[in-house]
Amino acid sequence: MENIFRKISAEKEIFRDERVLMPDYLPEVMPHREEQINEIAYALRGAAEGKKMENMLILGPSGTGKTSSVKYVLKQLQEYSQRVVPIYINCWESSTRHSILNSIAYSLGEFIPRRGISTDEITEKIGEILKKEKKAPVIALDEVDRLFTSQYEEEKVLYDLARAKELFSVDFGVVAITNSNEFLAKLDQRIKSSLIQKQLFFKQYSPIELKDILKSRAKLAFYSESLSEEVIPLCAARAAKNNGDARLAINLLWKAGKMAERENAEKVAEEHVRKAFEEVGGEELHEKLDGKEREVYDFIKEKGEVTSSELYEKFKDESDRSVRNYVTRLRSLGFITVEDTVGKGGKIRMIKIKK
Ligand code: ADP
Ligand code: MG
């Protein structure tokens, strides 16, 4: 039985466990994604059975549960099969061919010295381990479109994976994830046919679906008495209007809870959600922007950060000059920050959403 004093003292608190609302929390249940999770598991099942799995591409807008669903399946696959080595890579974090191969080697238990070794050497090492250990690597490349934004053809790593059998004598299972609709158009036919045997689309969530998602998280995150009835429907409605983004819905719920906590309120109420929404920059902020500006803003927001060349590429119907003007205006309104850094190929302009 729960200690009664712990219970009494806890009753005054809003959160039971706010970690459940953090972006890196991996939910144990994912309402309205059972079908997609099954589809992914079906595609990957070959890997667990010592056969070839179906490589797949997962598409869909931000906050539709792509990353979490894939991580969920990879975790289960690892529990189920000793042979499989699941490797999750976010291509914003490892954005070069070299760093991706490095991560693969590392996941296979190979220590790569700091001084670094050449790509060929890493490739060789990976081949050696795989031959020796009879492992079946399954690699998820999240935000894979990032590989195409560099001038150094980092996307070549996709060729490496496509011809893994030649290169490493072992097939790699590949799950590519992207929210870019243009991704497929950038892929060469040969790669497409070997890396994408199946496509799965994740749709935006409806308000009802968002409500279920929030409910399942709120049960763990809040004490049962600390949410007023209208809070979840309101968070769901707001997020539904903003592209059905579950990330926003959960973030709103968390921020609303923090507002209530700060005010020492008994419960989280409607006003807290409204304030939270202002803080995350909802409607109000959006209203100041028009047409193309808003599109540019939404694109940067979706990515978190982009380089200027990515922006030019995305809005190539506009002149670079007018894209620069949008950036200048967004910056003067305080929505974004612009930072110049020097990369291998010269100056890189990073554009980020202001937090
Ligand atoms: P994407 O990769 O499509 O942008 P994520 O998988 O990162 O989306 O999901 C964004 C957030 O929403 C994460 O915190 C995730 O836990 C949560 N989420 C998304 N879909 C669901 C769902 N069906 N059930 C529970 N939580 C979800
Ligand atoms: Mg994601």
Side-chain angles (χ1 to χ4, degrees):
M1 213 173 85
E2 194 178 359
N3 180 293
I4 188 150
F5 291 99
R6 184 176 301 144
K7 199 167 158 214
I8 294 169
S9 79
E11 268 166 5
K12 290 185 204 124
E13 288 178 30
I14 298 277
F15 290 107
R16 193 197 296 271
D17 183 2
E18 58 181 291
R19 282 172 311 179
V20 172
L21 303 175
M22 298 297 107
D24 55 358
Y25 175 81
L26 191 59
E28 284 183 11
V29 283
M30 296 192 61
H32 304 290
R33 283 299 176 246
E34 294 86 355
E35 218 175 283
Q36 287 78 0
I37 285 176
N38 270 332
E39 290 267 338
I40 302 169
Y42 263 94
L44 268 56
R45 123 192 108 156
E49 295 170 352
K51 300 183 202 135
K52 204 172 153 18
M53 61 164 258
E54 279 182 294
N55 291 330
M56 67 189 306
L57 173 68
I58 295 179
L59 284 156
S62 250
T64 53
K66 302 182 298 298
T67 299
S68 322
S69 300
V70 169
K71 284 189 170 171
Y72 182 93
V73 176
L74 287 183
K75 197 166 158 225
Q76 300 246 327
L77 184 61
Q78 187 168 32
E79 283 167 18
Y80 179 72
S81 162
Q82 304 289 320
R83 298 182 67 246
V84 175
V85 185
I87 305 169
Y88 171 86
I89 292 174
N90 182 301
C91 299
W92 276 86
E93 283 148 26
S94 296
S95 58
T96 65
R97 176 174 175 234
H98 190 268
S99 64
I100 289 174
L101 290 170
N102 230 333
S103 302
I104 294 174
Y106 182 79
S107 301
L108 290 168
E110 180 66 30
F111 175 75
I112 304 287
R114 254 268 172 82
R115 64 177 171 82
I117 59 178
S118 75
T119 307
D120 286 346
E121 281 172 289
I122 302 175
T123 308
E124 217 169 281
K125 279 240 178 322
I126 294 175
E128 274 168 30
I129 309 168
L130 288 175
K131 243 183 273 170
K132 205 167 58 202
E133 308 208 354
K134 304 244 174 339
K135 295 283 187 197
V138 174
I139 178 166
L141 291 174
D142 205 349
E143 316 217 33
V144 62
D145 47 294
R146 174 74 171 98
L147 299 179
F148 286 86
T149 57
S150 151
Q151 66 198 99
Y152 300 104
E153 305 189 305
E154 307 298 356
E155 75 274 13
K156 282 209 172 120
V157 72
L158 299 176
Y159 289 83
D160 300 334
L161 294 172
R163 56 187 193 99
K165 190 95 194 183
E166 273 166 62
L167 210 55
F168 311 113
S169 342
V170 172
D171 256 325
F172 269 67
V174 180
V175 182
I177 309 170
T178 182
N179 54 21
S180 153
N181 291 324
E182 289 109 69
F183 176 72
L184 269 178
K186 289 181 191 155
L187 281 187
D188 155 325
Q189 192 52 45
R190 257 185 30 237
I191 296 219
K192 226 188 268 176
S193 57
S194 83
L195 284 193
I196 304 174
Q197 284 140 2
K198 179 174 176 163
Q199 285 187 44
L200 187 60
F201 190 79
F202 280 54
K203 269 203 328 230
Q204 295 184 348
Y205 290 118
S206 70
I208 294 172
E209 291 173 332
L210 287 167
K211 249 194 272 183
D212 291 335
I213 292 170
L214 287 173
K215 270 190 216 154
S216 73
R217 294 291 262 271
K219 257 197 307 212
L220 304 169
F222 293 95
Y223 285 105
S224 53
E225 296 300 306
S226 53
L227 281 189
S228 319
E229 229 171 79
E230 67 277 13
V231 167
I232 285 181
L234 191 57
C235 291
R238 293 277 164 117
K241 272 195 203 148
N242 283 273
N243 309 316
D245 183 339
R247 186 180 292 108
L248 175 66
I250 294 169
N251 189 233
L252 267 180
L253 186 61
W254 176 65
K255 281 231 152 85
K258 294 310 268 183
M259 292 280 176
E261 201 178 55
R262 207 174 308 157
E263 291 175 10
N264 245 333
E266 292 259 316
K267 278 170 179 266
V268 191
E270 204 173 317
E271 47 166 312
H272 300 122
V273 180
R274 288 190 200 294
K275 284 185 201 154
F277 195 62
E278 274 166 36
E279 203 173 279
V280 301
E283 261 154 14
E284 188 202 36
L285 177 152
H286 240 118
E287 270 159 16
K288 290 187 196 157
L289 306 176
D290 55 40
K292 258 294 170 322
E293 258 165 29
R294 186 183 294 202
E295 272 180 48
V296 173
Y297 173 77
D298 284 343
F299 178 69
I300 303 170
K301 183 154 182 219
E302 193 181 288
K303 296 285 182 194
E305 57 172 319
V306 298
T307 63
S308 52
S309 29
E310 280 175 281
L311 264 192
Y312 298 149
E313 171 62 23
K314 168 81 185 172
F315 295 96
K316 53 175 177 267
D317 295 345
E318 308 268 316
S319 68
D320 286 3
R321 187 199 171 90
S322 50
V323 173
R324 267 199 301 278
N325 285 338
Y326 299 134
V327 169
T328 307
R329 176 158 156 80
L330 288 171
R331 188 184 193 176
S332 69
L333 287 168
F335 292 160
I336 57 171
T337 61
V338 177
E339 213 177 283
D340 288 327
T341 55
V342 181
K344 278 181 278 178
K347 212 171 77 171
I348 298 173
R349 175 158 281 202
M350 286 308 301
I351 300 159
K352 297 185 191 176
I353 286 291
K354 217 167 187 172
K355 291 272 152 61

